[in-house]
Amino acid sequence: MFCVLRKVCWRRAGARRGVCTRQPGPRVRFAPSPTGFLHLGGLRTALYNYLFAKQRGGAFILRLEDTDQSRLVPGAADDIEDMLEWAGIPPDESCKRGGDYGPYVQSERLQLYSQAASALLQTGHAYYCFCSNQRLDLLKREAQRSGQVPRYDNRCRELPSEQAQQKKAQGAPCAVRFKLDSGAEVFQDLVFGWTRHDPAAAEGDPVILKADGFPTYHLASVVDDHSMCISHVLRGSEWLISTVKHLQLFRALRWTPPAYAHLPLLLNRDGTKLSKRQGDIFVRRFLEQGVLPETLLDIVTHAGSGFSSNRIGRTLDELVCEFNISTITTHSALLDLDKLDEFNRVHLQHRIEAEEKCSVLQDELRRQVLHTHGSQISDQTVLEPHYIQRVLQLRKGHICSLRELLNHTHTYLWIRPRVTRQQLQEVSSEAGDIAAAVMQLVALSGSFQSTEHLNAELKLIASRLKHTKYSGAMRVLRLALSAQQQGPSVAEMMLSLGEQEVCVRLQKALEH
């Protein structure tokens, strides 16, 4: 297996739009329906397509299947591509980015589907169906009443061509159905291996073109995969039983089908289905909660198979290198979102340790601090890059998201507390001596070197006290610096705040 980490440009000089030319690598597509926003299951499918393409120097295409016009959700189409870009897996070709095989929205490709349906009608592989919705509903109810699977009875298949043309000329509404071949057909799936299915035995001839001129999924996906030169189709296993229909359509249109790989479902840890209705699996929800994009990519791949390692903290480049489609198993992938904080903590630490990414984090944290505490900030030093960077470096490995640095525990980082001398003396009668000793330490040393060095100095100060133990001295300092009883170690607090701010807070507490 080989690994390609550089971005590949797929605009070919002289290529005609919609005409297949020989490609140096595979072409794959993620083809969601904008009837909802991008969720974790869709992100995982998109990611596997992206990894397959990038590993082999191919192209990743985003195609929107919006033929079900009645169920379209406003804003969903933009959300899907926006979230792919946020996740770091942008398409090479899409409605926004363009490409040589557009349009990339099915509602703008209706002429192609009409032409394909006409070709199937002319060769006898399809026929007009004039059955009303009322008759189809009656068939469905009768099947359900007798405990059978609803299916179309292929009534219009035997309708003479002359009679069908006469009804059509009279304006009778009609759909186009595809004639399924009878008998089980075997095909090889890259994940499930050799698979056998007989759709004609389980269902009636499927509608491929509706009366309103819009195609169904079966025809549209076949036409688009052919016209966009898709070489491999990686999609959810729920489409496995439909693949024979698609292969028959390819054969009837005399087109070469792509290779198919059906990905096992992504389920909750307890084996239940991910619920889009609850709204808690939409990618944008995780973004709003402060989850990093690399965290989501890591956890959805960690849940399943197809990689040479299963450790926490893998980067996108590492996922590209480690992906191996031949090792994907047919078992459902179980997603444990209870581990999300752990994954995010690891990836946040990686970002803090990377200079360029840490700079982005600093800007984001500064924006959040201003939004949350802006009016209460008395010293603008806390908004300076060197201060925010110091906070991030000291807190890395302890926090799971930037949002944690805005909670009550970390308020002291941004807002000076209001603490009185009396409050300090209630903890220890030697509070004044403790504060004075720390300020003298600052005056003599000039700067804090490390938490280890500070801890040693604080223990030395405590050892010189007559009536206060080390723990009591730390409670005094914690209260003076943060007005809290819990939080990071006192040494870390002092190192985060810096020498000058420590002295300012101790002095203010003593003066109150």
Side-chain angles (χ1 to χ4, degrees):
M1 186 167 62
F2 51 89
C3 178
V4 178
L5 299 184
R6 57 188 175 83
K7 189 171 181 180
V8 182
C9 179
W10 286 107
R11 283 201 173 273
R12 296 162 302 288
R16 287 186 294 148
R17 183 176 298 277
V19 177
C20 290
T21 57
R22 182 172 293 277
Q23 297 293 303
R27 289 176 58 81
V28 298
R29 47 71 164 182
F30 174 51
S33 172
T35 53
F37 300 101
L38 185 65
H39 56 84
L40 290 183
L43 178 67
R44 174 173 169 266
T45 300
L47 174 61
Y48 275 54
N49 277 277
Y50 178 92
L51 297 177
F52 186 84
K54 297 310 167 186
Q55 190 181 76
R56 293 162 174 78
F60 170 52
I61 294 96
L62 172 63
R63 185 174 78 215
L64 296 177
E65 301 190 341
D66 64 340
T67 55
D68 192 350
Q69 295 282 296
S70 63
R71 296 177 57 224
L72 296 182
V73 174
D78 288 335
D79 176 83
I80 290 170
E81 186 157 2
D82 289 346
M83 290 300 94
L84 290 179
E85 291 180 354
W86 172 79
I89 53 173
D92 297 300
E93 302 171 24
S94 68
C95 184
K96 289 182 180 179
R97 291 174 177 259
D100 294 322
Y101 298 94
Y104 294 92
V105 182
Q106 285 186 339
S107 59
E108 299 175 14
R109 301 169 63 84
L110 298 183
Q111 186 177 1
L112 287 174
Y113 312 132
S114 178
Q115 292 171 353
S118 296
L120 292 170
L121 287 165
Q122 291 173 6
T123 57
H125 288 97
Y127 59 92
Y128 291 112
C129 175
F130 297 91
C131 292
S132 65
N133 290 332
Q134 290 81 358
R135 181 178 187 274
L136 296 175
D137 288 339
L138 182 61
L139 285 175
K140 182 178 180 179
R141 287 198 298 270
E142 288 178 350
Q144 291 172 336
R145 189 161 46 242
S146 59
Q148 298 178 342
V149 177
R151 55 176 293 173
Y152 177 59
D153 59 1
N154 295 350
R155 175 181 180 179
C156 291
R157 181 190 265 225
E158 306 305 327
L159 192 67
S161 177
E162 298 78 10
Q163 187 175 346
Q165 290 297 337
Q166 183 180 4
K167 290 171 73 72
K168 194 169 184 297
Q170 293 173 348
C174 63
V176 177
R177 289 184 181 270
F178 177 67
K179 291 181 179 179
L180 288 174
D181 295 334
S182 60
E185 186 167 335
V186 178
F187 69 95
Q188 187 174 25
D189 186 83
L190 295 178
V191 174
F192 284 79
W194 289 103
T195 304
R196 178 188 298 267
H197 189 61
D198 183 3
E203 55 187 289
D205 292 336
V207 171
I208 56 174
L209 196 68
K210 294 177 286 188
D212 61 3
F214 277 80
T216 61
Y217 173 80
H218 305 300
L219 179 65
S221 65
V222 166
V223 171
D224 289 342
D225 287 344
H226 169 74
S227 62
M228 292 182 178
C229 302
I230 301 302
S231 62
H232 296 75
V233 172
L234 281 69
R235 61 186 179 187
S237 59
E238 65 269 23
W239 294 110
L240 185 63
I241 61 173
S242 297
T243 304
V244 167
K245 279 185 277 191
H246 301 163
L247 290 172
Q248 289 187 15
L249 278 166
F250 271 107
R251 188 162 57 240
L253 290 164
R254 297 183 179 180
W255 295 339
T256 302
Y260 286 95
H262 288 87
L263 307 173
L265 294 177
L266 184 65
L267 304 176
N268 290 315
R269 184 179 58 178
D270 59 3
T272 58
K273 204 172 180 182
L274 296 177
S275 175
K276 291 182 282 186
R277 293 180 181 177
Q278 295 174 356
D280 55 0
I281 63 166
F282 292 121
V283 174
R284 186 170 292 278
R285 177 72 64 86
F286 291 98
L287 181 159
E288 293 169 350
Q289 292 173 348
V291 177
L292 298 174
E294 54 266 41
T295 296
L296 285 188
L297 301 185
D298 195 9
I299 199 168
V300 297
T301 53
H302 188 272
S305 52
F307 298 87
S308 57
S309 75
N310 205 29
R311 56 191 168 78
I312 297 176
R314 294 169 299 173
T315 65
L316 180 57
D317 285 350
E318 289 171 334
L319 290 176
V320 171
C321 286
E322 295 180 10
F323 180 63
N324 185 348
I325 195 170
S326 66
T327 63
I328 298 177
T329 66
T330 59
H331 303 297
S332 296
L334 302 182
L335 179 65
D336 188 359
L337 288 178
D338 288 341
K339 294 182 178 178
L340 188 63
D341 283 347
E342 181 183 357
F343 275 79
N344 212 49
R345 177 181 56 79
V346 172
H347 283 285
L348 182 58
Q349 181 171 344
H350 289 172
R351 278 203 176 197
I352 292 173
E353 292 172 348
E355 184 176 347
E356 184 176 343
K357 292 182 178 180
C358 186
S359 177
V360 176
L361 285 179
Q362 290 173 32
D363 293 340
E364 175 60 20
L365 181 55
R366 183 179 187 276
R367 185 190 66 78
Q368 293 187 22
V369 169
L370 277 171
H371 177 75
T372 306
H373 301 300
S375 62
Q376 298 173 281
I377 296 174
S378 56
D379 183 4
Q380 297 299 308
T381 302
V382 301
L383 299 175
E384 293 180 2
H386 69 87
Y387 180 86
I388 293 179
Q389 181 183 25
R390 189 164 69 232
V391 169
L392 288 172
Q393 292 294 337
L394 288 168
R395 286 280 78 199
K396 70 180 180 185
H398 298 285
I399 57 172
C400 298
S401 71
L402 292 183
R403 295 174 65 180
E404 287 186 42
L405 294 175
L406 307 175
N407 62 23
H408 176 71
T409 302
H410 296 96
T411 304
Y412 74 92
L413 289 168
W414 323 109
I415 303 171
R416 283 177 182 163
R418 297 178 64 85
V419 182
T420 67
R421 187 184 188 105
Q422 182 180 350
Q423 288 176 293
L424 299 181
Q425 289 179 334
E426 288 175 359
V427 177
S428 170
S429 59
E430 297 177 290
D433 296 333
I434 296 170
V438 171
M439 288 189 283
Q440 184 179 16
L441 171 64
V442 173
L444 292 175
S445 62
S447 62
F448 298 147
Q449 298 176 15
S450 65
T451 54
E452 293 77 14
H453 177 262
L454 263 178
N455 275 324
E457 292 291 345
L458 292 174
K459 287 180 180 179
L460 186 60
I461 289 173
S463 69
R464 296 169 180 162
L465 300 173
K466 296 180 180 179
H467 309 293
T468 308
K469 294 182 179 180
Y470 174 75
S471 59
M474 294 306 100
R475 287 200 299 273
V476 168
L477 291 174
R478 183 183 299 279
L479 183 61
L481 298 176
S482 67
Q484 297 176 18
Q485 297 179 350
Q486 293 180 332
S489 70
V490 172
E492 184 185 321
M493 282 184 170
M494 293 172 63
L495 206 58
S496 297
L497 294 170
E499 302 80 13
Q500 183 177 347
E501 182 64 17
V502 166
C503 290
V504 168
R505 294 189 182 194
L506 290 176
Q507 189 65 43
K508 282 184 174 294
L510 294 177
E511 292 174 353
H512 270 76

